[in-house]
Amino acid sequence: MFISCLDMEGVLVPEIWIAFSKETGIAELSRTTRDEPDYDKLMRYRLDILKRHGFKLSDVQSTIGKIEPFEGAREFLGKLSELCPVIIISDTFEQFAGPLIKKLGNPTLFCNTLEVAGNGEITGYKMRVKNSKLSTVRALQSIGYETLAVGDSYNDIAMMRASRKGFLFKTTKAIAAENPDIGVYDEFDGLLSAMKAAME
């Protein structure tokens, strides 16, 4: 029995931090897991910038409210869920993801949580589990599922390689070149066809 494990940002919706970077004009916030493989280093970098500029959780949430899923993303999820169960495994946070998951039709989401002070300052974050994407795929496999994994960034590669089949979607040329054995897709129709073929 198959289960599909999808990243969210960069695959189904635009990157939250890039949108916030454009909204605020702070170019440094456009850095993502496509640029920095070390997620802890990246988040500490982001939180330091937010603190220096006095941004609160509500500021980021205001930007998130304006983000729309990629064209065809919700339809893709609907068609994929007819083939097998689907889980979104993201390194984003509960306080960020709500509006986006609703716009995607409320698929199941596994993510992390932010630590927020009483004044709304984001002071830290708590990962659901170490190496959350790979750990989740391994856990699903331990209860009898064969996994298919889709992502776009460095932090998705491990779950792809641990799965029956991995798929890079809307990724960078650098990541694609470093992983020539993983198929690269830019359209949902092509991705869905490839995933369906992998289940046969």
Side-chain angles (χ1 to χ4, degrees):
M1 186 174 183
F2 284 94
I3 190 165
S4 292
C5 302
L6 279 60
D7 181 33
M8 184 176 75
E9 291 180 69
V11 173
L12 301 170
V13 303
E15 294 277 356
I16 290 170
W17 290 100
I18 290 177
F20 191 61
S21 171
K22 291 177 179 176
E23 185 90 1
T24 61
I26 301 172
E28 297 95 321
L29 283 172
S30 66
R31 193 166 177 77
T32 72
T33 50
R34 291 181 174 195
D35 311 298
E36 174 54 66
D38 186 328
Y39 189 73
D40 181 62
K41 180 179 179 181
L42 178 62
M43 276 305 301
R44 285 187 280 108
Y45 170 82
R46 289 166 168 168
L47 295 183
D48 180 61
I49 294 172
L50 294 183
K51 186 176 181 65
R52 281 192 280 115
H53 290 271
F55 289 120
K56 303 291 194 285
L57 173 61
S58 59
D59 297 311
V60 184
Q61 289 174 326
S62 177
T63 296
I64 292 170
K66 303 172 188 176
I67 296 175
E68 294 296 328
F70 289 132
E71 185 176 351
R74 183 166 176 160
E75 293 76 12
F76 164 74
L77 285 174
K79 291 176 182 177
L80 182 59
S81 65
E82 292 175 1
L83 302 175
C84 70
V86 179
I87 297 175
I88 311 300
I89 308 175
S90 175
D91 280 339
T92 193
F93 306 97
E94 294 174 345
Q95 295 93 332
F96 286 178
L100 298 173
I101 287 296
K102 186 174 181 180
K103 290 176 182 179
L104 288 169
N106 294 307
T108 299
L109 170 70
F110 292 171
C111 65
N112 307 301
T113 188
L114 292 168
E115 296 170 347
V116 184
N119 66 353
E121 178 186 347
I122 303 173
T123 57
Y125 66 97
K126 184 176 181 181
M127 301 297 281
R128 179 173 50 83
V129 66
K130 187 176 181 181
N131 298 319
S132 62
K133 296 184 180 187
L134 176 60
S135 297
T136 302
V137 162
R138 292 293 193 207
L140 291 167
Q141 291 167 345
S142 76
I143 56 172
Y145 284 102
E146 287 201 70
T147 58
L148 302 178
V150 181
D152 68 312
S153 298
Y154 285 108
N155 64 335
D156 300 313
I157 299 297
M159 74 168 178
M160 290 183 203
R161 296 206 172 281
S163 294
R164 168 77 172 269
K165 185 84 173 174
F167 308 85
L168 282 164
F169 190 68
K170 296 183 182 291
T171 193
T172 65
K173 290 181 179 179
I175 293 174
E178 291 169 21
N179 299 277
D181 56 319
I182 300 178
V184 179
Y185 301 86
D186 292 305
E187 302 294 337
F188 285 116
D189 286 347
L191 176 61
L192 183 66
S193 294
M195 295 181 77
K196 185 176 181 179
M199 296 181 213
E200 295 173 350

